Amino acid sequence: MTLTEALVLGIIQGLGEFLPISSSAHLVLVPWALGWQYAGLTFDVALHIGTLISVIAFFWKDWLTLFRSAVTRKGSKEAALFWYLVLGTIPGGAIGYLFEEQAETVLRTPLLIGVMLIVMGIILYWVDRRAASVKSIDSVSLLDSLLIGLSQALAIIPGVSRSGITMTAGRALGFTRASAARFSFLLSTPIVVGAGLYKMKDLSPGDLNAAFMTGVISSAVVGFIAIGFLIRYLSQRSFAVFAWYRFVVGSAVIILALTR
C-alpha cells in the first residue's frame, strides 16, 4: 500500500474509533469506494496499535488513579468505578473474541454497513434528544456498567460503532453527554489494549515498514485529538451532528451499493 493510503486510513481509524461514526465501517467503505485493495491484517495491527497509544496517552492518569484506589482505597467511588469498568469490559470482549471471524467476513458488506449507520444514527438522535442529563461519571453503578458493557458487544457489527453504542446507552441511562463519552472511552480502554496486544503476536520485524509506521502515528495522533475534542464538544452540544453525518453517509453507501 502507498503512504497516502496508510495516512488516510490512519486518520479514519483515529477519528472513527472515538467519534460515534464507526471506524470499522469507514475502514471498509473508503477502500471499497475508492477501489483500494485490502490493506491486510498487518496494517490492521498498525491501526490498533495507534488507537491503543492514543487512549493510553489520554487516560493513563485516570487509570492510575482508579487502580491505586482499587488497591489502597477499597470502598471509595474510584475503587468501585475501577471494578465496574473491569466487569463492564467482559461482555464486549467475549463477544468480540467469539465472533471475530464473522465480523471480518459476512458482516462487512457495504449494504449492511450503510443500513447500520442509519439505524444507529436514528437511535443515537432519538435517545440523545429524550434522555435526562442527571448523572455524572461519579454516580456510575454496577448495573449501569453492565448494561453499557452489554451494549458494547453490538459494536462487532460494522456501522454500529463501539463509542456510538456505549454513549447512546449511557445517555439512555441518564448520564450527561460528557460523562457518557468519558465513561465510554474508559470502558473501551481494556478492549483496545487487549485487541492491540492480541494482534501484535502475529507481527515480525519485517512488517515494520514505512506504511505500517505511518498508520500507527497517524491513528495515534488523530485519536488523541479526537478524544479531547469530543469530550469538550459534548460539554456544550448534542450528538445531532454525528447522527446527521451517519444518515448522509449511510444513505450514500446504500445508493452506491444498489447501483453498482
Side-chain angles (χ1 to χ4, degrees):
M1 69 184 310
T2 67
L3 293 183
T4 299
E5 292 174 1
L7 178 62
V8 170
L9 295 177
I11 292 171
I12 290 170
Q13 171 71 6
L15 290 173
E17 182 69 25
F18 302 111
L19 302 183
I21 58 174
S22 180
S23 61
S24 58
H26 286 74
L27 290 173
V28 173
L29 295 175
V30 170
W32 171 72
L34 298 178
W36 294 352
Q37 292 185 348
Y38 172 52
L41 293 175
T42 299
F43 192 72
D44 285 348
V45 177
L47 299 181
H48 278 90
I49 292 174
T51 46
L52 163 61
I53 292 171
S54 61
V55 76
I56 290 177
F58 199 97
F59 289 110
W60 71 270
K61 289 183 179 178
D62 298 70
W63 276 105
L64 184 58
T65 299
L66 293 173
F67 180 73
R68 284 176 174 172
S69 298
V71 174
T72 63
R73 297 176 56 202
K74 297 177 181 179
S76 66
K77 288 184 178 180
E78 291 82 4
L81 179 58
F82 175 84
W83 292 113
Y84 293 163
L85 288 166
V86 170
L87 292 173
T89 298
I90 295 173
I95 295 296
Y97 178 78
L98 292 173
F99 294 97
E100 180 183 13
E101 182 178 349
Q102 289 87 340
E104 296 293 334
T105 54
V106 296
L107 297 178
R108 293 173 73 92
T109 62
L111 186 58
L112 174 62
I113 291 172
V115 170
M116 293 311 302
L117 283 170
I118 293 174
V119 169
M120 274 306 305
I122 293 171
I123 295 172
L124 175 62
Y125 185 83
W126 186 82
V127 170
D128 187 50
R129 292 267 295 182
R130 292 180 171 270
S133 297
V134 295
K135 293 183 182 179
S136 70
I137 194 169
D138 294 331
S139 60
V140 172
S141 68
L142 176 58
L143 180 59
D144 292 332
S145 185
L146 291 176
L147 290 174
I148 297 173
L150 283 170
S151 74
Q152 187 172 220
L154 296 175
I156 194 171
I157 305 172
V160 170
S161 168
R162 180 185 293 114
S163 60
I165 190 65
T166 51
M167 290 178 200
T168 300
R171 290 290 292 133
L173 292 169
F175 287 92
T176 65
R177 295 181 179 103
S179 291
R182 181 170 286 275
F183 186 79
S184 170
F185 293 145
L186 288 172
L187 186 64
S188 74
T189 304
I191 285 186
V192 172
V193 171
L197 295 177
Y198 176 75
K199 290 177 179 293
M200 284 172 65
K201 74 181 190 311
D202 298 321
L203 286 180
S204 64
D207 294 324
L208 307 180
N209 55 26
F212 184 95
M213 296 310 299
T214 299
V216 171
I217 294 170
S218 57
S219 58
V221 172
V222 174
F224 185 89
I225 294 171
I227 294 171
F229 162 77
L230 189 63
I231 292 175
R232 291 191 301 272
Y233 181 88
L234 293 176
S235 66
Q236 301 292 333
R237 297 177 177 86
S238 73
F239 285 97
V241 66
F242 303 106
W244 282 107
Y245 174 83
R246 295 176 71 103
F247 300 156
V248 172
V249 174
S251 299
V253 170
I254 291 172
I255 292 170
L256 187 58
L258 293 176
T259 56
R260 269 194 170 184

